[in-house]
Coordinates of all heavy atoms in Angstrom, one line a residue:
M1 N -48.1 16.6 -16.6 CA -49.5 16.5 -16.3 C -49.7 16.4 -14.8 O -50.5 16.9 -14.1 CB -50.1 15.1 -16.9 CG -50.4 15.4 -18.4 SD -51.6 16.4 -18.7 CE -52.1 16.1 -20.5
D2 N -48.7 15.7 -14.1 CA -48.8 15.6 -12.7 C -48.6 17.0 -11.9 O -49.1 17.1 -10.9 CB -47.6 14.7 -12.2 CG -47.9 13.3 -12.7 OD1 -49.0 13.0 -13.0 OD2 -46.9 12.5 -12.6
N3 N -47.9 18.0 -12.6 CA -47.7 19.3 -12.1 C -49.1 19.9 -11.9 O -49.2 20.8 -11.0 CB -46.9 20.2 -12.9 CG -45.4 19.5 -12.9 OD1 -45.0 18.8 -11.9 ND2 -44.5 19.8 -13.8
V4 N -49.9 19.8 -12.8 CA -51.3 20.5 -12.7 C -51.9 20.0 -11.4 O -52.6 20.9 -10.7 CB -52.2 20.0 -13.9 CG1 -53.6 20.5 -13.8 CG2 -51.5 20.4 -15.2
T5 N -51.9 18.8 -11.0 CA -52.6 18.3 -9.8 C -51.9 19.0 -8.6 O -52.6 19.4 -7.7 CB -52.4 16.8 -9.8 OG1 -52.8 16.2 -11.0 CG2 -53.2 16.2 -8.5
A6 N -50.6 19.1 -8.6 CA -49.9 19.7 -7.4 C -50.5 21.1 -7.2 O -50.7 21.6 -6.1 CB -48.4 19.7 -7.6
S7 N -50.4 21.9 -8.3 CA -50.8 23.4 -8.3 C -52.3 23.5 -7.8 O -52.7 24.4 -7.2 CB -50.5 24.1 -9.5 OG -51.3 23.5 -10.5
E8 N -53.1 22.5 -8.3 CA -54.6 22.6 -8.0 C -54.6 22.3 -6.3 O -55.3 23.1 -5.7 CB -55.3 21.5 -8.6 CG -55.7 21.8 -10.0 CD -56.5 20.7 -10.7 OE1 -56.6 19.6 -10.1 OE2 -57.1 21.0 -11.8
V9 N -53.7 21.4 -6.0 CA -53.8 21.1 -4.4 C -53.3 22.3 -3.6 O -54.0 22.7 -2.6 CB -52.9 19.9 -4.1 CG1 -52.8 19.7 -2.6 CG2 -53.5 18.6 -4.7
A10 N -52.3 23.0 -4.2 CA -51.8 24.2 -3.5 C -52.9 25.3 -3.5 O -53.1 26.0 -2.4 CB -50.5 24.6 -4.2
G11 N -53.5 25.4 -4.6 CA -54.6 26.5 -4.8 C -55.8 26.2 -3.7 O -56.2 27.2 -3.1
F12 N -56.0 25.0 -3.6 CA -57.1 24.5 -2.8 C -56.7 24.9 -1.3 O -57.5 25.5 -0.5 CB -57.5 23.3 -3.0 CG -58.5 22.6 -2.1 CD1 -59.8 23.1 -2.3 CD2 -58.2 21.9 -0.9 CE1 -60.8 22.6 -1.3 CE2 -59.1 21.5 0.0 CZ -60.4 21.8 -0.2
A13 N -55.5 24.6 -1.0 CA -55.2 24.8 0.4 C -55.0 26.3 0.8 O -55.6 26.7 1.8 CB -53.7 24.3 0.6
V14 N -54.6 27.2 -0.2 CA -54.6 28.5 0.1 C -55.9 29.1 0.2 O -56.3 29.9 1.1 CB -53.9 29.2 -1.1 CG1 -54.0 30.8 -0.9 CG2 -52.3 29.1 -1.0
G15 N -56.9 28.7 -0.6 CA -58.3 29.1 -0.6 C -58.9 28.7 0.6 O -59.6 29.4 1.4
A16 N -58.6 27.5 1.1 CA -59.2 26.9 2.5 C -58.7 27.8 3.7 O -59.4 28.1 4.5 CB -58.8 25.5 2.6
L17 N -57.4 28.1 3.5 CA -56.9 28.9 4.7 C -57.4 30.4 4.7 O -57.8 30.8 5.8 CB -55.2 29.1 4.4 CG -54.4 27.9 5.0 CD1 -53.0 28.1 4.5 CD2 -54.5 28.0 6.6
L18 N -57.6 30.9 3.6 CA -58.2 32.2 3.5 C -59.6 32.2 4.1 O -60.0 33.0 4.8 CB -58.2 32.8 2.0 CG -56.8 33.3 1.6 CD1 -56.9 33.6 0.0 CD2 -56.3 34.4 2.3
L19 N -60.2 31.2 3.7 CA -61.7 31.1 4.1 C -61.8 30.9 5.6 O -62.6 31.4 6.4 CB -62.4 29.8 3.4 CG -63.9 29.7 3.6 CD1 -64.8 30.8 3.2 CD2 -64.4 28.3 3.1
A20 N -60.9 30.0 6.1 CA -60.8 29.8 7.5 C -60.5 31.0 8.4 O -61.1 31.3 9.3 CB -59.8 28.7 7.9
A21 N -59.6 31.9 7.8 CA -59.1 33.0 8.5 C -60.3 34.0 8.4 O -60.6 34.8 9.4 CB -57.9 33.6 7.7
T22 N -61.0 34.1 7.4 CA -62.2 35.0 7.3 C -63.2 34.6 8.3 O -63.8 35.6 9.0 CB -62.8 35.0 5.9 OG1 -61.8 35.3 4.9 CG2 -63.9 36.0 5.7
I23 N -63.4 33.4 8.4 CA -64.6 32.9 9.3 C -64.0 33.1 10.8 O -64.8 33.6 11.7 CB -64.9 31.5 9.1 CG1 -65.5 31.2 7.8 CG2 -65.8 30.8 10.1 CD1 -65.8 29.9 7.2
A24 N -62.8 32.8 11.1 CA -62.4 32.8 12.4 C -62.0 34.2 13.0 O -61.9 34.4 14.2 CB -61.2 31.9 12.6
A25 N -61.8 35.1 12.0 CA -61.3 36.5 12.5 C -62.1 37.1 13.6 O -61.6 37.5 14.6 CB -61.1 37.3 11.3
P26 N -63.4 37.3 13.4 CA -64.3 37.9 14.5 C -64.2 37.2 15.8 O -64.1 37.8 16.8 CB -65.7 37.9 13.9 CG -65.4 37.7 12.4 CD -64.2 36.9 12.2
K27 N -64.2 35.9 15.7 CA -64.0 35.1 17.0 C -62.7 35.3 17.7 O -62.7 35.4 18.8 CB -64.3 33.6 16.7 CG -65.7 33.3 16.2 CD -65.9 31.9 15.9 CE -67.4 31.6 15.3 NZ -67.5 30.2 14.8
V28 N -61.6 35.2 16.8 CA -60.3 35.4 17.4 C -60.3 36.9 18.0 O -59.8 37.1 19.1 CB -59.4 35.2 16.4 CG1 -57.9 35.6 16.9 CG2 -59.4 33.8 15.9
D29 N -60.9 37.9 17.4 CA -60.7 39.2 17.8 C -61.5 39.4 19.2 O -61.0 40.0 20.0 CB -61.4 40.1 16.8 CG -61.0 41.6 17.1 OD1 -59.9 41.9 17.2 OD2 -62.1 42.4 17.0
A30 N -62.6 38.8 19.3 CA -63.3 38.9 20.5 C -62.7 38.1 21.6 O -62.5 38.6 22.7 CB -64.8 38.2 20.4
F31 N -62.1 37.0 21.3 CA -61.4 36.2 22.3 C -60.2 37.0 22.8 O -59.8 37.1 23.9 CB -60.9 34.9 21.7 CG -60.1 34.0 22.7 CD1 -60.7 33.4 23.7 CD2 -58.8 34.0 22.4 CE1 -60.0 32.6 24.6 CE2 -57.9 33.2 23.3 CZ -58.5 32.6 24.3
V32 N -59.4 37.7 21.8 CA -58.3 38.4 22.3 C -58.5 39.7 23.1 O -58.0 39.9 24.1 CB -57.5 38.8 21.0 CG1 -56.5 39.9 21.3 CG2 -56.8 37.6 20.3
S33 N -59.6 40.3 22.7 CA -60.0 41.5 23.6 C -60.5 41.1 25.0 O -60.2 41.8 25.9 CB -61.1 42.3 22.9 OG -62.3 41.5 22.7
A34 N -61.2 40.0 25.0 CA -61.7 39.6 26.3 C -60.5 39.1 27.2 O -60.4 39.4 28.3 CB -62.6 38.3 26.1
S35 N -59.5 38.4 26.6 CA -58.4 37.9 27.3 C -57.4 39.2 27.7 O -56.8 39.2 28.8 CB -57.4 36.9 26.6 OG -57.1 37.4 25.4
Q36 N -57.4 40.2 26.9 CA -56.7 41.4 27.1 C -57.2 42.1 28.3 O -56.6 42.5 29.3 CB -56.7 42.3 26.0 CG -55.6 42.2 25.0 CD -55.6 43.1 23.8 OE1 -56.7 43.7 23.7 NE2 -54.6 43.3 23.1
R37 N -58.6 42.2 28.3 CA -59.2 42.9 29.5 C -59.1 41.9 30.8 O -58.8 42.5 31.8 CB -60.8 42.8 29.2 CG -61.2 43.9 28.3 CD -62.6 44.0 27.9 NE -63.0 45.0 27.0 CZ -64.1 45.0 26.5 NH1 -65.2 44.3 26.7 NH2 -64.4 46.1 25.6
R38 N -59.0 40.7 30.6 CA -58.7 39.9 31.7 C -57.4 40.0 32.3 O -57.1 40.0 33.6 CB -59.0 38.3 31.5 CG -59.5 37.7 32.6 CD -59.9 36.2 32.1 NE -61.1 36.3 31.3 CZ -61.1 35.5 30.1 NH1 -60.2 34.7 29.8 NH2 -62.2 35.5 29.4
S39 N -56.4 40.1 31.5 CA -55.0 40.4 31.8 C -54.8 41.7 32.5 O -54.0 41.9 33.3 CB -54.0 40.2 30.6 OG -54.2 41.2 29.8
L40 N -55.7 42.7 32.1 CA -55.6 44.0 32.7 C -56.5 44.2 34.0 O -56.6 45.1 34.6 CB -56.0 45.1 31.7 CG -55.1 45.3 30.6 CD1 -55.8 46.1 29.4 CD2 -53.8 46.0 31.0
R41 N -57.1 42.9 34.3 CA -58.0 42.8 35.5 C -59.2 43.7 35.2 O -59.8 44.3 36.2 CB -57.3 43.3 36.7 CG -56.2 42.2 37.1 CD -55.7 42.5 38.5 NE -54.6 41.6 38.9 CZ -54.0 41.6 40.1 NH1 -54.3 42.5 40.9 NH2 -53.0 40.7 40.3
M42 N -59.6 43.9 34.0 CA -60.7 44.7 33.7 C -61.9 43.7 33.5 O -61.6 42.5 33.1 CB -60.6 45.5 32.4 CG -59.6 46.6 32.7 SD -59.2 47.4 31.1 CE -60.7 48.3 30.8
C43 N -63.1 44.1 33.6 CA -64.3 43.2 33.4 C -64.3 42.7 31.9 O -64.2 43.7 31.0 CB -65.5 43.9 33.7 SG -67.0 42.8 33.3
A44 N -64.3 41.4 31.5 CA -64.4 41.0 30.2 C -65.7 41.4 29.5 O -65.8 41.5 28.4 CB -64.2 39.5 30.2
R45 N -66.7 41.7 30.4 CA -68.0 42.0 29.8 C -68.2 43.4 29.3 O -68.6 43.6 28.3 CB -69.2 41.4 30.7 CG -70.5 41.6 30.2 CD -70.8 40.5 29.3 NE -72.2 40.6 28.8 CZ -73.2 40.0 29.4 NH1 -73.0 39.3 30.6 NH2 -74.4 40.1 28.9
C46 N -67.7 44.3 30.3 CA -68.1 45.7 30.1 C -66.8 46.6 30.0 O -67.0 47.9 29.9 CB -69.0 46.3 31.3 SG -68.3 46.3 32.9
G47 N -65.7 46.0 30.4 CA -64.4 46.8 30.3 C -64.4 47.7 31.5 O -63.9 48.8 31.5
D48 N -64.9 47.4 32.7 CA -64.9 48.1 33.9 C -65.8 49.2 33.9 O -65.7 50.1 34.8 CB -63.6 48.4 34.4 CG -62.9 47.3 35.4 OD1 -63.7 46.2 35.5 OD2 -61.9 47.6 35.9
L49 N -66.7 49.4 33.0 CA -67.7 50.4 33.1 C -68.8 50.3 34.1 O -69.4 51.1 34.5 CB -68.3 50.6 31.8 CG -67.4 51.2 30.5 CD1 -68.1 51.2 29.2 CD2 -66.9 52.6 30.8
G50 N -68.9 49.0 34.5 CA -70.0 48.6 35.4 C -71.4 48.5 34.8 O -72.3 48.0 35.4
V51 N -71.6 48.9 33.7 CA -72.9 48.8 33.0 C -72.7 48.3 31.5 O -71.7 48.5 31.0 CB -73.6 50.2 32.9 CG1 -74.1 50.6 34.2 CG2 -72.8 51.2 32.3
I52 N -73.7 47.7 31.0 CA -73.7 47.3 29.6 C -75.0 47.8 29.0 O -76.0 47.9 29.6 CB -73.7 45.7 29.6 CG1 -74.7 45.1 30.3 CG2 -72.2 45.2 30.1 CD1 -74.8 43.5 30.1
P53 N -74.9 48.1 27.7 CA -76.2 48.6 27.1 C -77.2 47.6 27.2 O -77.2 46.4 27.0 CB -75.6 48.7 25.6 CG -74.2 48.7 25.5 CD -73.8 47.9 26.8
C54 N -78.4 48.0 27.4 CA -79.7 47.1 27.4 C -80.0 46.6 26.1 O -80.2 47.4 25.2 CB -80.8 48.0 28.1 SG -82.4 47.1 28.1
S55 N -79.9 45.4 26.0 CA -80.1 44.7 24.6 C -81.5 44.9 24.2 O -81.7 45.0 23.0 CB -79.8 43.3 24.8 OG -80.6 42.6 25.7
R56 N -82.5 44.9 25.2 CA -83.8 45.1 24.8 C -84.1 46.5 24.3 O -84.8 46.7 23.3 CB -84.8 44.9 26.0 CG -86.2 44.8 25.6 CD -87.0 44.5 26.8 NE -86.9 43.2 27.3 CZ -87.6 42.7 28.4 NH1 -88.5 43.5 28.9 NH2 -87.4 41.5 28.8
C57 N -83.5 47.4 24.9 CA -83.6 48.8 24.4 C -82.9 49.2 23.1 O -83.5 49.7 22.1 CB -83.1 49.8 25.5 SG -84.3 50.1 26.7
S58 N -81.8 48.6 22.9 CA -81.0 49.0 21.7 C -81.7 48.4 20.5 O -81.7 49.0 19.5 CB -79.5 48.4 21.8 OG -79.5 47.1 22.2
S59 N -82.3 47.3 20.7 CA -83.1 46.7 19.5 C -84.4 47.4 19.4 O -84.8 47.7 18.2 CB -83.4 45.2 19.8 OG -84.1 45.1 21.0
G60 N -85.0 47.9 20.4 CA -86.2 48.6 20.4 C -86.0 50.0 19.8 O -86.7 50.5 18.9
I61 N -84.9 50.6 20.1 CA -84.5 51.9 19.7 C -84.4 52.0 18.0 O -84.8 52.6 17.3 CB -83.3 52.5 20.4 CG1 -83.6 53.0 21.7 CG2 -82.8 53.8 19.4 CD1 -82.5 53.2 22.7
A62 N -83.7 50.8 17.6 CA -83.3 50.7 16.2 C -84.7 50.5 15.6 O -84.9 51.2 14.4 CB -82.5 49.4 15.9
R63 N -85.6 49.8 16.2 CA -86.9 49.6 15.5 C -87.7 51.0 15.5 O -88.3 51.3 14.4 CB -87.7 48.6 16.2 CG -88.6 47.9 15.3 CD -89.3 46.7 16.1 NE -88.5 46.0 17.0 CZ -88.8 45.6 18.3 NH1 -89.9 46.2 18.8 NH2 -88.1 44.9 19.0
L64 N -87.6 51.7 16.5 CA -88.4 52.9 16.6 C -87.8 53.9 15.6 O -88.5 54.8 15.2 CB -88.3 53.4 18.1 CG -89.2 52.7 19.0 CD1 -89.0 53.1 20.5 CD2 -90.7 52.8 18.7
Q65 N -86.5 54.0 15.6 CA -85.9 55.0 14.6 C -86.4 54.7 13.2 O -86.6 55.6 12.4 CB -84.3 54.9 14.7 CG -83.9 55.7 15.9 CD -82.3 55.5 16.0 OE1 -81.8 54.7 15.5 NE2 -81.8 56.4 16.8
I66 N -86.5 53.5 12.9 CA -87.0 53.2 11.5 C -88.4 53.5 11.2 O -88.8 54.2 10.4 CB -86.8 51.6 11.2 CG1 -85.3 51.3 11.2 CG2 -87.5 51.2 9.9 CD1 -85.1 49.6 11.3
L67 N -89.3 53.2 12.3 CA -90.7 53.6 12.2 C -90.9 55.1 12.5 O -92.0 55.6 12.0 CB -91.4 52.7 13.3 CG -91.5 51.2 12.9 CD1 -92.2 50.5 14.1 CD2 -92.1 50.9 11.6
G68 N -90.1 55.7 13.3 CA -90.3 57.1 13.6 C -91.4 57.3 14.5 O -92.2 58.3 14.5
S69 N -91.7 56.4 15.4 CA -92.8 56.3 16.4 C -92.6 57.4 17.5 O -91.5 57.4 18.1 CB -93.1 55.0 16.9 OG -94.0 55.1 17.9
P70 N -93.5 58.3 17.8 CA -93.5 59.2 19.0 C -94.0 58.6 20.3 O -93.8 59.3 21.3 CB -94.3 60.3 18.5 CG -95.5 59.7 17.7 CD -94.9 58.5 17.0
N71 N -94.4 57.4 20.2 CA -94.9 56.9 21.5 C -93.8 56.1 22.3 O -94.2 55.3 23.1 CB -96.0 56.0 21.2 CG -97.3 56.7 20.4 OD1 -97.4 57.8 20.8 ND2 -98.0 56.1 19.6
S72 N -92.6 56.3 22.0 CA -91.6 55.5 22.6 C -91.5 55.8 24.1 O -91.4 54.8 24.9 CB -90.2 55.8 22.0 OG -90.0 57.2 22.1
D73 N -91.8 57.0 24.5 CA -91.6 57.3 26.0 C -92.8 56.8 26.9 O -92.7 56.7 28.0 CB -91.5 58.8 26.1 CG -90.3 59.5 25.5 OD1 -89.4 58.7 25.4 OD2 -90.5 60.5 25.2
N74 N -93.8 56.4 26.3 CA -94.9 55.8 26.9 C -94.6 54.4 27.5 O -95.4 53.9 28.4 CB -96.2 55.7 26.2 CG -96.6 57.3 25.8 OD1 -96.3 58.1 26.5 ND2 -97.4 57.3 24.7
Q75 N -93.6 53.8 27.1 CA -93.4 52.4 27.3 C -92.0 52.3 27.8 O -91.1 51.9 27.0 CB -93.7 51.4 26.1 CG -95.1 51.4 25.8 CD -95.3 50.5 24.7 OE1 -94.5 50.2 23.9 NE2 -96.6 50.0 24.5
P76 N -91.6 52.6 29.1 CA -90.3 52.5 29.5 C -89.9 51.0 29.6 O -90.8 50.1 30.0 CB -90.3 53.1 31.0 CG -91.7 53.1 31.4 CD -92.6 53.2 30.1
C77 N -88.6 50.7 29.4 CA -88.2 49.3 29.3 C -88.2 48.7 30.7 O -87.9 49.4 31.6 CB -86.8 49.3 28.8 SG -86.1 47.7 28.9
A78 N -88.8 47.6 30.9 CA -88.9 46.9 32.1 C -87.6 46.4 32.6 O -87.2 46.2 33.7 CB -89.8 45.8 32.0
E79 N -86.6 46.2 31.7 CA -85.3 45.7 31.9 C -84.4 46.8 32.6 O -83.8 46.5 33.6 CB -84.7 45.2 30.7 CG -83.7 44.3 30.8 CD -84.1 42.8 31.1 OE1 -85.3 42.5 30.7 OE2 -83.4 42.0 31.6
C80 N -84.5 48.1 32.1 CA -83.5 48.9 32.5 C -84.2 50.2 32.9 O -83.6 51.2 33.5 CB -82.5 49.3 31.3 SG -83.4 50.1 30.0
G81 N -85.5 50.4 33.0 CA -86.3 51.5 33.4 C -86.0 52.7 32.5 O -85.7 53.7 33.0
A82 N -85.7 52.5 31.3 CA -85.6 53.5 30.3 C -84.2 54.3 30.4 O -84.0 55.2 29.8 CB -86.7 54.5 30.4
S83 N -83.3 53.7 31.2 CA -82.0 54.2 31.2 C -81.1 53.7 30.1 O -79.9 54.2 29.9 CB -81.3 54.1 32.7 OG -81.0 52.6 32.8
R84 N -81.6 52.8 29.4 CA -80.9 52.1 28.3 C -79.6 51.5 28.7 O -78.9 51.2 27.7 CB -80.7 53.2 27.2 CG -82.0 53.9 26.8 CD -81.8 54.5 25.4 NE -80.8 55.6 25.4 CZ -80.6 56.4 24.4 NH1 -81.6 56.5 23.5 NH2 -79.8 57.4 24.5
R85 N -79.4 51.2 29.9 CA -78.2 50.3 30.3 C -78.6 49.8 31.6 O -79.3 50.1 32.4 CB -77.0 51.3 30.5 CG -77.1 52.3 31.3 CD -76.1 53.3 31.3 NE -76.3 54.5 32.2 CZ -75.4 55.5 32.4 NH1 -74.3 55.5 31.6 NH2 -75.7 56.4 33.2
I86 N -78.0 48.5 31.8 CA -78.2 47.7 33.0 C -76.9 47.4 33.6 O -75.8 47.4 32.8 CB -78.9 46.4 32.6 CG1 -78.1 45.6 31.4 CG2 -80.3 46.7 32.0 CD1 -78.7 44.3 31.2
P87 N -76.9 47.2 34.9 CA -75.5 46.8 35.6 C -75.0 45.6 35.0 O -75.7 44.7 34.7 CB -76.0 46.6 37.0 CG -77.4 47.3 37.2 CD -78.0 47.3 35.8
C88 N -73.7 45.6 34.8 CA -73.1 44.4 34.3 C -73.1 43.4 35.2 O -72.7 43.5 36.5 CB -71.5 44.8 34.2 SG -70.6 43.5 33.7
P89 N -73.7 42.1 34.7 CA -73.9 41.0 35.8 C -72.5 40.5 36.3 O -72.5 40.0 37.5 CB -74.5 40.0 34.9 CG -74.2 40.4 33.4 CD -74.0 41.9 33.4
L90 N -71.5 40.6 35.5 CA -70.1 40.1 36.1 C -69.6 41.1 37.1 O -69.1 40.6 38.2 CB -69.2 40.1 34.9 CG -69.4 39.0 33.8 CD1 -68.3 39.1 32.8 CD2 -69.4 37.6 34.5
C91 N -69.7 42.4 37.0 CA -69.3 43.3 37.9 C -70.1 43.4 39.2 O -69.5 43.4 40.2 CB -69.4 44.8 37.3 SG -68.0 45.1 36.2
S92 N -71.4 43.3 39.0 CA -72.2 43.2 40.2 C -72.0 42.1 41.0 O -72.1 42.2 42.3 CB -73.7 43.4 39.8 OG -74.0 42.4 38.9
S93 N -71.8 40.9 40.4 CA -71.7 39.6 41.3 C -70.2 39.8 41.9 O -69.9 39.3 43.1 CB -71.7 38.5 40.3 OG -70.6 38.6 39.4
R94 N -69.2 40.6 41.2 CA -68.0 40.6 41.8 C -68.0 41.6 43.0 O -67.2 41.3 44.0 CB -67.0 41.3 40.7 CG -65.6 40.9 41.1 CD -64.7 41.1 39.7 NE -65.0 42.3 39.2 CZ -64.2 42.9 38.1 NH1 -63.2 42.0 37.7 NH2 -64.4 44.0 37.7
K95 N -68.9 42.6 42.9 CA -68.9 43.5 44.1 C -69.6 42.9 45.3 O -69.3 43.4 46.4 CB -69.6 44.8 43.6 CG -68.7 45.8 42.8 CD -69.6 46.9 42.2 CE -68.6 47.7 41.1 NZ -69.4 48.6 40.3
D96 N -70.5 42.0 45.0 CA -71.3 41.4 46.0 C -70.3 40.6 47.0 O -70.5 40.5 48.1 CB -72.4 40.7 45.5 CG -73.5 41.4 45.0 OD1 -73.6 42.6 45.4 OD2 -74.3 40.9 44.3
V97 N -69.2 40.1 46.4 CA -68.4 39.2 47.2 C -67.6 40.0 48.2 O -67.2 41.0 47.9 CB -67.5 38.3 46.2 CG1 -66.5 37.6 47.2 CG2 -68.4 37.4 45.4
Ligands
ZN101 ZN1 -83.9 48.6 28.4
ZN102 ZN1 -68.4 44.3 34.0

């Protein structure tokens, strides 16, 4: 009878480990890629591209593609001027110094 309790505990522990690994995986991946870029002296934000995708535009484009609106060009993004990308804040601050 006591053996049932032990295997139950083991099963719970494995289940908890799998759950924790599943939850932590994306965060660990993002952390590792950021630290890799940092070790290569690349920008952790943009990977030394100097620009990052405009978040306002990418969300707007996704919405427009769904709606199929032809009026998208009438409203250039105030954030990036319709270039759909903005200077990386980390790189621009680094260049200013
Ligand atoms: Zn934009
Ligand atoms: Zn950057």
